[in-house]
């Protein structure tokens, strides 16, 4: 049961949105709108998603941001399919910051995350396109004085079959806006798709190849200065004093900006700003967390594990279940950063009566709001220019970087670009915080589970970030997938809320709740299979008889991976399955473990059922990248705390997977006519448990902590 399934009142149905159309600025404007959310009057400021101008390409205003996940391609495909145009006839335009107009239909805020972009807009975008097509056809038929049924749309034109007459959409735009809105617009069946499910080149690739694509770091408003920043390394610490004499001597340095918790050096270019920053002599007041260590944080988490918890899921009667032996295990996961390719950055120009922000963010509306709060300006006086993101992974779901940049810009004449070094990026992230899971699985006489109890310890991110997914003290995200997809008659999930220390920002991380719960669930089921003396894949087969889509993914992955086939000495395979984000995936890892404990991940096979595929190439890219991201974390991801600060700082001590370490990755897709599920995060959760289970298959050692400590494998 996923996070969306726990919020049924927020689900989008066919009747939970309407389509509006008008003629403004020479263009036909079509917009799907949510019922029950704040809406503008029907003017040119309507939440326009589709603009058909008299000439030139059709503009698709996209509320979801592009951060490499292919959402521009995906949503453009949905529109083009029903509007009957080619992808080359559409230009993707980022939506302005305005949650009242551009809120996601499920998340109810202007947010890109949770693998819900395609899921949320699957019907609204297609319905808007189909509505526009019918109105354009009606306008052409009226112009020619013929029945609409005698006309058809094709490649951006309406054609009258009998006479061969044609009119381009642009020529019909004004008249189409005056046509009645069609009711009960039919959508194409999958058998009629021209674009959906077909291979096509990504529309955002050419600009990224030729350098014309614009990311946050590319913002260059006239007269822009550049700032390097140093934030107090201790969580919650403040600036005591700074000696800037040497910094001001650096050529190109304009100013040193003092904030309560940071110092920024503003210069003509980044090199001068960083050189000036290095010349500062800073004294920090490390505050209440000055002596904080990883050991202390782990002790606190253990105490939370032993304390009270809320019951989040209660099916059957766990207490009354009796039978055979019990698997009891605690799985531990560390603090993790995001380390996006593009470091945190934001460009801001604060004027007396307005504020302009150039940034790449997953939350444009919240970026506007924080700029308004910092400056004291009304939100409508803040303009956010949202750019492409060089990776998000949940890091850019928080707007702390925008807040910091606006605070700096308040003390600077003209625009200033604040760029975080990789060190600041690692040491001041919105972390995936410590997570503990205690799993208890009681087996029946036949060795199959009769009861599962899972206690999850961690922060309630949704209480702060998206309260609609926080109810009665339970964070729906952190317990997502915690009850497992298996047919176990008695299940109980408990949530023990445990927050990070004051001053330490925690947030969403790629794969969100399922990445926290998959190791415990899939590791625990593997332990149960071993205890029962049953092959791990066969064990899961028996438990998934009522979950045919996940079972099919398991069968496909096992077949393609050669499960049960012979492997060389010191080789092993491990399996994990995951039902999350409206999709289903099975992951099998193949590893080699040397006598000295040296670990080599040789192959990852992943089978997915994500419903109707919109673009097969994007699907493969996203699942593969999710696997690499999850593998990096499983092998290396861990931040440690000493004296209240993060010890690690860059890729030398917080490494990510290198090309020569990347295993062979296979992604196999099950064809499906079901509504689309999410794929951007689907590949990540299953990697760690499949890897840990594969290591057990070789060594007989059950690892229950991440990242993998190969020292534990030596001599196995």
């Amino acid at each position: 049961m996923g996070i969306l399934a726990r919020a049924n009142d927020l689900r989008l149905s066919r009747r939970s949105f309407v389509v509006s159309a008008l003629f403004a600025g020479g263009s036909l404007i079509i917009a799907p709108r949510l019922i029950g959310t704040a809406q503008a009057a029907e003017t040119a400021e309507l939440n326009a998603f589709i603009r058909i101008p008299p000439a030139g390409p059709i503009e698709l205003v996209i509320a979801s941001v592009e951060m490499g996940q292919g959402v521009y391609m995906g949503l453009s495909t949905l529109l083009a399919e029903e509007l009957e145009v080619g992808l080359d006839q559409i230009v993707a335009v980022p939506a302005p910051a305005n949650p009242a107009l551009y809120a996601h239909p499920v998340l109810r805020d202007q947010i890109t995350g949770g693998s819900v972009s395609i899921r949320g807009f699957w019907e609204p975008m297609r319905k808007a396109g189909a509505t526009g097509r019918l109105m354009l056809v009606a306008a052409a038929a009226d112009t020619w004085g013929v029945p609409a049924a005698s006309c058809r749309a094709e490649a951006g034109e309406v054609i009258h079959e009998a006479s061969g007459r044609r009119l381009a959409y642009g020529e019909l735009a004004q008249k189409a806006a005056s046509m009645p809105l069609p009711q009960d617009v039919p959508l194409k069946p999958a058998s009629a798709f021209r674009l959906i499910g077909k291979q096509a080149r990504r529309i955002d690739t050419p600009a990224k190849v030729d350098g014309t694509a614009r990311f946050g770091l590319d913002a260059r408003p006239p007269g822009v200065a550049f700032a390097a920043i140093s934030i107090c390394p201790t969580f919650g610490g403040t600036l005591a004093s700074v000696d800037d004499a040497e910094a001001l001597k650096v050529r190109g340095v304009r100013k040193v900006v003092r904030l309560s918790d940071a110092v920024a050096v503003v210069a003509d270019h980044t090199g001068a700003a960083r050189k000036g920053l290095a010349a500062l002599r800073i004294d920090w007041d490390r505050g209440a967390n000055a002596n904080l260590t990883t050991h202390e944080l782990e002790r606190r988490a253990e105490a939370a594990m032993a304390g009270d918890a809320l019951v989040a899921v209660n099916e059957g009667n766990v207490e009354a279940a009796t039978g055979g032996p019990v698997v009891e295990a605690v799985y531990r996961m560390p603090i993790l950063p995001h380390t996006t390719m593009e470091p945190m950055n934001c460009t801001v120009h604060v004027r007396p009566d307005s504020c302009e922000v150039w940034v790449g963010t997953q939350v444009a509306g919240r970026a506007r709001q924080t700029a308004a709060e910092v400056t004291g300006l009304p939100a409508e006086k803040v303009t956010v220019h949202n750019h492409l993101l060089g990776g998000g992974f949940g890091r850019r779901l928080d707007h702390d970087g925008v807040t910091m940049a606006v605070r700096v810009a308040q003390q600077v004449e003209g625009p200033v670009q604040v760029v975080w070094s990789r060190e600041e990026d690692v040491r001041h992230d919105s972390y995936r915080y410590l997570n503990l899971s205690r799993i208890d699985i009681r087996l029946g006489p036949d060795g199959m589970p009769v009861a599962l109890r899972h206690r999850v310890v961690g922060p309630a991110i949704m209480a702060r970030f998206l309260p609609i997914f926080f109810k009665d003290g339970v964070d729906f995200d952190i317990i997502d997938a915690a009850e497992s997809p298996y047919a176990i008659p008695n299940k109980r999930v408990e949530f023990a809320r445990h927050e990070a220390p004051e001053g330490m920002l925690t947030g969403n991380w790629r794969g969100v709740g399922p990445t926290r719960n998959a190791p415990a669930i899939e590791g625990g089921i593997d332990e149960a299979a071993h205890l029962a003396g049953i092959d791990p894949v066969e064990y899961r087969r028996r438990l998934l008889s009522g979950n045919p889509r996940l079972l099919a993914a398991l069968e496909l992955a096992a077949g393609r991976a050669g499960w049960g086939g012979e492997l060389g000495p010191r080789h092993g395979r491990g399996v994990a399955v995951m039902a999350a984000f409206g999709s289903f995936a099975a992951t099998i890892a193949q590893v080699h473990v040397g006598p000295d404990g040296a670990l080599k991940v040789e192959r990852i096979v992943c089978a997915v059922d994500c419903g109707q595929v919109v673009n097969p190439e994007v699907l493969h890219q996203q699942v593969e990248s999710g696997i690499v991201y999850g593998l990096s974390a499983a092998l290396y991801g861990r931040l440690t705390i000493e004296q209240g600060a993060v010890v690690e700082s860059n890729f030398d001590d917080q490494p990510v997977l290198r090309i020569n370490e990347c295993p062979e990755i296979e992604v196999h897709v099950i064809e499906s006519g079901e509504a689309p599920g999410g794929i951007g995060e689907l590949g990540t959760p299953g990697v760690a448990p499949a890897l840990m289970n594969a290591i057990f298959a070789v060594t007989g050692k059950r690892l229950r902590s991440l990242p993998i400590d190969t020292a534990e494998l030596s001599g196995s």
Side-chain angles (χ1 to χ4, degrees):
M1 184 181 293
I3 186 171
L4 298 186
R6 294 183 180 278
N8 291 323
D9 56 318
L10 300 175
R11 281 184 177 272
L12 189 70
S13 72
R14 289 180 181 272
R15 290 178 292 278
S16 63
F17 56 86
V18 294
V19 174
S20 298
L22 67 152
F23 186 76
S27 301
L28 170 64
I29 296 178
I30 305 169
R33 301 186 299 163
L34 283 174
I35 292 174
T37 59
Q39 297 293 339
E42 292 192 357
T43 68
E45 292 304 311
L46 181 85
N47 57 324
F49 280 74
I50 306 164
R51 295 172 180 162
I52 303 176
I58 295 166
E59 291 186 355
L60 173 57
V61 181
I62 295 183
S64 299
V65 299
E66 179 60 68
M67 48 189 168
Q69 84 279 35
V71 71
Y72 279 10
M73 182 70 178
L75 295 184
S76 295
T77 300
L78 301 186
L79 171 64
E81 183 69 75
E82 297 287 353
L83 191 57
E84 293 293 357
V85 298
L87 285 168
D88 59 346
Q89 295 174 276
I90 295 177
V91 173
V93 179
N98 192 333
L101 302 182
Y102 293 102
H104 186 278
V106 172
L107 303 180
R108 301 295 175 95
D109 199 350
Q110 193 171 358
I111 293 172
T112 305
S115 298
V116 297
S117 290
I118 296 296
R119 285 189 284 169
F121 289 111
W122 168 244
E123 286 194 2
M125 194 61 68
R126 292 169 62 212
K127 186 172 183 180
T131 298
R133 183 190 75 244
L134 292 177
M135 294 175 72
L136 290 159
V137 168
D142 188 68
T143 299
W144 295 324
V146 299
S150 68
C151 304
R152 64 181 173 86
E154 181 183 299
E157 294 181 324
V158 179
I159 303 168
H160 182 234
E161 293 281 9
S163 65
R165 286 175 290 183
R166 296 170 177 262
L167 283 172
Y169 283 179
E171 299 175 88
L172 295 166
Q174 183 170 3
K175 186 163 191 174
S178 67
M179 305 305 293
L181 276 170
Q183 302 298 313
D184 298 320
V185 177
L187 300 178
K188 285 184 181 181
S191 60
F193 287 160
R194 294 181 305 109
L195 299 172
I196 294 175
K198 308 298 191 294
Q199 287 289 133
R201 295 180 178 178
R202 286 179 58 151
I203 62 175
D204 56 324
T205 298
K208 292 176 179 177
V209 172
D210 66 22
T212 57
R214 288 291 173 262
F215 295 82
L217 277 172
D218 296 316
R220 291 293 185 272
V224 66
F226 300 86
I229 194 161
S230 178
I231 306 170
C232 181
T234 306
F235 301 118
T238 57
L239 176 65
S241 64
V242 59
D243 181 348
D244 60 10
E246 294 302 313
L248 293 172
K249 295 177 183 178
V250 174
R251 184 176 179 181
V253 169
R254 299 184 187 180
K255 186 173 187 177
V256 175
V257 174
R258 294 165 172 79
L259 302 176
S260 61
D261 55 350
V263 182
V265 175
V266 182
D268 295 334
H269 52 83
T270 299
R274 296 194 67 170
K275 188 175 180 180
L277 191 70
L280 292 176
R281 298 177 63 184
I282 307 173
D283 184 22
W284 301 107
D285 181 346
R286 294 181 174 268
N289 290 325
N291 297 315
L292 197 64
T293 64
T294 301
H295 178 75
E296 170 60 17
L297 294 180
E298 291 173 344
R299 186 198 64 77
R300 295 178 186 180
E302 294 284 356
M305 172 68 82
D308 295 332
L310 296 171
V311 176
V313 176
N314 200 14
E315 301 173 1
N317 190 339
V318 172
E319 301 295 341
T322 59
V326 178
V327 172
E328 296 179 309
V330 174
Y331 282 76
R332 295 173 170 82
M333 279 165 283
I335 301 170
L336 290 179
H338 294 85
T339 53
T340 59
M341 183 180 296
E342 180 187 16
M344 295 295 287
N345 67 90
C346 182
T347 305
V348 182
H349 190 177
V350 176
R351 302 179 181 91
D353 59 350
S354 66
C355 178
E356 249 181 307
V357 178
W358 295 262
V359 70
T361 178
Q362 295 174 246
V363 285
R366 296 184 183 190
R368 182 180 71 162
Q369 185 60 36
T370 192
E373 291 173 357
V374 172
T375 59
L377 293 166
E380 58 268 20
K381 294 295 183 180
V382 177
T383 301
V384 175
H385 306 279
N386 206 3
H387 293 256
L388 296 172
L389 284 64
F393 312 135
R395 176 61 183 104
R396 289 179 164 90
L397 283 171
D398 278 296
H399 56 262
D400 53 306
V402 177
T403 304
M404 183 71 74
V406 175
R407 292 169 64 199
V408 172
Q410 285 181 299
Q411 300 186 41
V412 179
E413 289 290 332
V416 58
Q417 183 175 96
V418 181
V419 180
W420 296 30
S421 66
R422 181 61 68 186
E423 288 75 13
E424 294 298 325
D425 191 36
V426 170
R427 289 172 173 165
H428 297 283
D429 203 334
S430 59
Y431 303 103
R432 195 190 80 172
Y433 192 54
L434 291 173
N435 195 97
L436 294 183
S437 280
R438 187 176 69 210
I439 193 89
D440 299 294
I441 303 174
R442 180 173 292 279
L443 308 186
D446 60 355
M448 303 306 293
V450 295
L452 178 149
R453 183 200 298 263
H454 186 187
R455 173 169 287 204
V456 179
V457 178
I461 304 299
M462 291 298 145
R464 167 186 69 86
F465 181 77
L466 205 59
I468 58 173
F469 294 118
F470 180 77
K471 185 177 181 181
D472 298 330
V474 176
D475 184 304
F476 288 168
D477 172 64
I478 200 170
I479 64 164
D480 193 4
E483 71 271 41
S484 91
Y486 299 113
I488 301 174
N490 305 287
K491 295 183 181 181
R492 181 184 177 102
V493 175
E494 301 167 347
F495 172 50
R497 184 175 180 179
H498 175 62
E499 298 293 340
E502 187 71 24
M504 185 180 189
L505 182 61
T506 58
N508 298 283
W509 191 85
R510 187 175 188 176
V512 286
T515 66
R516 298 174 178 271
N517 297 317
I521 291 294
E522 289 303 296
I525 286 295
D526 230 64
E527 294 195 44
H530 178 70
L531 190 61
I534 302 174
D535 174 83
V537 167
E538 175 58 28
Y539 202 71
R540 288 170 172 82
R541 282 194 187 107
R542 299 181 190 181
L543 290 169
L544 292 174
S545 58
N547 195 332
R549 295 179 70 183
L550 189 54
L551 177 59
L554 174 63
E555 297 287 12
L556 179 57
R560 294 303 178 95
W563 186 271
E566 291 296 324
L567 288 172
R570 307 199 65 81
H571 286 77
R573 298 187 184 100
V575 60
V577 301
M578 177 57 53
F581 315 109
S583 296
F584 305 85
T587 304
I588 293 178
Q590 179 178 312
V591 305
H592 175 270
V593 182
D596 60 351
L599 172 66
K600 180 174 178 56
V601 185
E602 297 180 326
R603 187 182 181 206
I604 301 285
V605 176
C606 186
V608 303
D609 175 356
C610 58
Q612 174 63 61
V613 176
V614 175
N615 185 294
E617 184 175 355
V618 171
L619 184 154
H620 279 261
Q621 291 170 349
Q622 284 305 291
V623 176
E624 288 167 1
S625 71
I627 288 169
V628 171
Y629 198 77
L631 189 54
S632 285
L635 295 175
Y636 305 121
R638 175 183 173 85
L639 294 183
T640 55
I641 311 298
E642 292 293 340
Q643 296 183 333
V646 172
V647 174
E648 294 75 16
S649 63
N650 211 314
F651 293 124
D652 58 337
D653 54 11
Q654 181 56 38
V656 296
L657 199 70
R658 294 178 177 270
I659 292 176
N660 66 301
E661 298 172 306
C662 190
E664 176 187 353
I665 298 175
E666 298 177 26
V667 177
H668 303 282
V669 182
I670 297 172
E671 292 188 11
S672 172
E674 299 287 343
I679 62 169
E681 297 170 284
L682 182 63
T684 305
V687 175
L691 178 60
M692 296 161 86
N693 292 338
I695 290 170
F696 173 79
V698 179
T699 66
K701 292 188 176 180
R702 187 66 70 176
L703 303 182
R704 300 190 184 100
S705 297
L706 290 172
I708 301 298
D709 184 357
T710 56
E712 295 186 39
L713 307 179
S714 179
S716 60

